[in-house]
Amino acid sequence: MPPRRKSTDYSRRRLAANPGAEGELEERRISPQERRRQIMINVGVWFLVLVFAMTSGVMCYNIGGPETAQPGVEAQQAAQDPNQVEIDRWTRELQSSPNDPVVLANLGASWMRKAETLRSRQPGEAAPSSPEPEAASPSPQATPEMTREDALARAEEYLSRAIEKEPSYAFALQQLAELKIAQKQPAQGREFLDRILALADAPIPPEEDPETIRATRESQSTRARMTLARLETFEKNYDRALEILARLEADNSGNADVHAMRAHIYEEQGRPDQALKALDELAKVAEVMNNSGMILGARLEKSRILQQAGDKAGARQEMEKARTVAESTGNMQAVMLVTQLLYKMDEPAPPMPVQGLPGGPAGVEPAPASAEPADAPPAETAEPADAPPAQTAEPAAEPATEPAPEPGQP
């Protein structure tokens, strides 16, 4: 066996070659005590960095490696402006699918909802230049200078492109009809509604499921006819509007918006007794739907009409019923509101339109905030994101996983 070689002491050789201060530094570097001390210092530094990051609000990304996720930027944006988040979402989708009519239509619908949060342009006010997208946003943000008209113009652009790609896309046609009504172009809005109603009578392709197609077309037709009735109401064509509502009720007696709009028309015509009966029907439908908000609205509206008619006892009775409904919801704000109105029964009550009634000139109705946008390609079986009118009571949020009924629209 060969003799065992001695291990070489490289530290001593380096010290001999580097005497003085440099040699002492090298000696400290290689000693086990120094290595432990450096490890403890590094651990302490990382601990202080972590504490600073958690307490100062400054976020340090990727400290733990590439798996560290960026904290909820989108959640913060959604809390501030959910409409802009939806616009950003569909804009990103459009970048990868520039010719998809579903993406185009949903982006247009998102801009329509955004329009309802913006002010209208004053007479003589020039349109602002389009803002540049922010770093974290793929689409231009709505600046303080942007107006409702600007947002509607963007919505029209995307919806028109969707119709070019798919002329029979009922969801896009419905959105365009409402947009034209909002732009005070009722004749063009009526044309789009007529196109939807004409689709209901089109032959069913043999490869499609007839039951699904008929159900989808019925939902599309119901919404189009409701919009048409609203349009006739805005134009003071009350008899035509009532005829449309009568046909809708015959097809579906559980449509709450039929009774709500009918009550509005009767009041406009100076027929308070019929308006009160329509509100009673609305309350019955809302009870079946277990919709406390709609019941509360019907009671408050009845109280207002009775008070205007001079029946203070009846008005107070309805207000007491409204407070009972508010208490059953557990919503303290609603309870406080109704209680305050009770204390002011001797004063003229301001108009409080029941939910679902048109509240003014023709305009786009806000869609709800919590529905899933449409992701499936448009087809005969697809329907925009609204629930069937007989099922819907309150605005919920636009488009669904296929162009299925829109939220918030009856």
Side-chain angles (χ1 to χ4, degrees):
M1 177 180 294
R4 184 176 181 183
R5 299 179 59 185
K6 291 184 178 181
S7 60
T8 305
D9 190 350
Y10 290 103
S11 62
R12 291 183 179 275
R13 293 177 62 178
R14 283 195 292 268
L15 284 174
N18 300 284
E22 293 181 2
E24 292 176 1
L25 177 62
E26 185 69 14
E27 178 69 21
R28 287 197 303 272
R29 249 183 218 146
I30 63 175
S31 68
Q33 294 85 355
E34 179 65 13
R35 285 197 294 269
R36 283 195 295 270
R37 191 174 73 87
Q38 289 295 335
I39 291 173
M40 295 302 296
I41 291 174
N42 291 336
V43 170
V45 169
W46 281 110
F47 177 78
L48 292 175
V49 169
L50 180 61
V51 171
F52 174 78
M54 294 176 64
T55 58
S56 67
V58 177
M59 305 309 298
C60 302
Y61 301 122
N62 297 326
I63 289 179
E67 302 80 16
T68 304
Q70 182 174 347
V73 174
E74 291 187 359
Q76 296 175 6
Q77 292 177 345
Q80 296 172 358
D81 189 348
N83 293 320
Q84 186 64 46
V85 171
E86 281 298 300
I87 290 172
D88 289 347
R89 170 190 174 181
W90 291 111
T91 301
R92 286 190 290 267
E93 292 280 346
L94 189 62
Q95 291 172 353
S96 58
S97 305
N99 296 318
D100 189 336
V102 174
V103 176
L104 289 165
N106 279 296
L107 181 54
S110 298
W111 273 111
M112 287 179 66
R113 292 193 298 276
K114 180 71 175 181
E116 291 307 305
T117 67
L118 302 175
R119 64 179 180 85
S120 296
R121 185 178 302 142
Q122 300 300 319
E125 180 181 356
S129 58
S130 297
E132 293 295 328
E134 293 187 358
S137 173
S139 61
Q141 298 282 345
T143 64
E145 293 77 20
M146 179 178 286
T147 63
R148 178 173 178 269
E149 291 75 12
D150 302 321
L152 288 177
R154 293 189 184 184
E156 183 175 6
E157 174 190 351
Y158 293 118
L159 291 170
S160 298
R161 288 170 57 186
I163 293 300
E164 290 175 3
K165 303 298 180 183
E166 183 61 46
S168 62
Y169 190 10
F171 173 60
L173 290 170
Q174 177 70 41
Q175 294 294 312
L176 270 173
E178 296 181 3
L179 183 144
K180 289 301 179 182
I181 294 173
Q183 292 176 330
K184 299 182 180 180
Q185 301 176 29
Q188 295 185 35
R190 194 184 299 272
E191 291 177 4
F192 289 117
L193 294 174
D194 290 340
R195 287 173 63 177
I196 297 173
L197 295 175
L199 290 173
D201 299 326
I204 299 177
E207 67 276 9
E208 301 289 352
D209 177 30
E211 293 298 324
T212 303
I213 294 296
R214 276 194 281 271
T216 300
R217 290 181 176 180
E218 181 182 356
S219 177
Q220 295 169 349
S221 175
T222 297
R223 173 161 185 183
R225 286 190 290 168
M226 280 298 306
T227 306
L228 188 59
R230 187 176 295 109
L231 178 57
E232 299 289 2
T233 302
F234 293 146
E235 295 182 336
K236 310 298 183 183
N237 299 323
Y238 297 129
D239 291 339
R240 294 180 187 175
L242 289 172
E243 290 176 4
I244 296 172
L245 294 175
R247 291 195 295 270
L248 283 169
E249 185 181 15
D251 295 339
N252 188 346
S253 59
N255 190 330
D257 274 9
V258 168
H259 303 293
M261 189 176 297
R262 184 178 284 158
H264 173 75
I265 292 173
Y266 285 146
E267 187 178 5
E268 288 287 314
Q269 290 181 320
R271 302 161 64 184
D273 292 341
Q274 286 84 347
L276 293 172
K277 291 179 181 179
L279 289 170
D280 284 334
E281 293 298 322
L282 173 61
K284 292 178 182 178
V285 172
E287 288 176 1
V288 173
M289 299 170 64
N290 196 25
N291 190 315
S292 299
M294 186 170 288
I295 299 172
L296 178 61
R299 295 301 180 194
L300 291 175
E301 187 74 352
K302 282 192 67 177
S303 178
R304 180 184 63 80
I305 294 176
L306 289 169
Q307 189 172 1
Q308 290 179 345
D311 187 356
K312 292 187 177 182
R316 183 174 293 277
Q317 183 179 7
E318 290 297 330
M319 192 67 72
E320 292 285 358
K321 294 179 180 179
R323 184 165 64 177
T324 301
V325 174
E327 291 172 348
S328 69
T329 65
N331 187 325
M332 295 308 300
Q333 291 182 341
V335 175
M336 292 174 63
L337 170 64
V338 178
T339 302
Q340 184 180 16
L341 292 175
L342 268 170
Y343 285 135
K344 294 184 176 181
M345 287 295 291
D346 294 333
E347 302 176 8
M352 298 179 61
V354 67
Q355 182 177 4
L357 288 178
V364 183
E365 297 183 4
S370 63
E372 288 296 323
D375 295 323
E380 282 285 353
T381 57
E383 167 75 5
D386 342 1
Q391 305 290 329
T392 307
E394 300 180 4
E398 211 0 22
T401 53
E402 55 180 0
E406 272 183 347
Q409 296 295 340

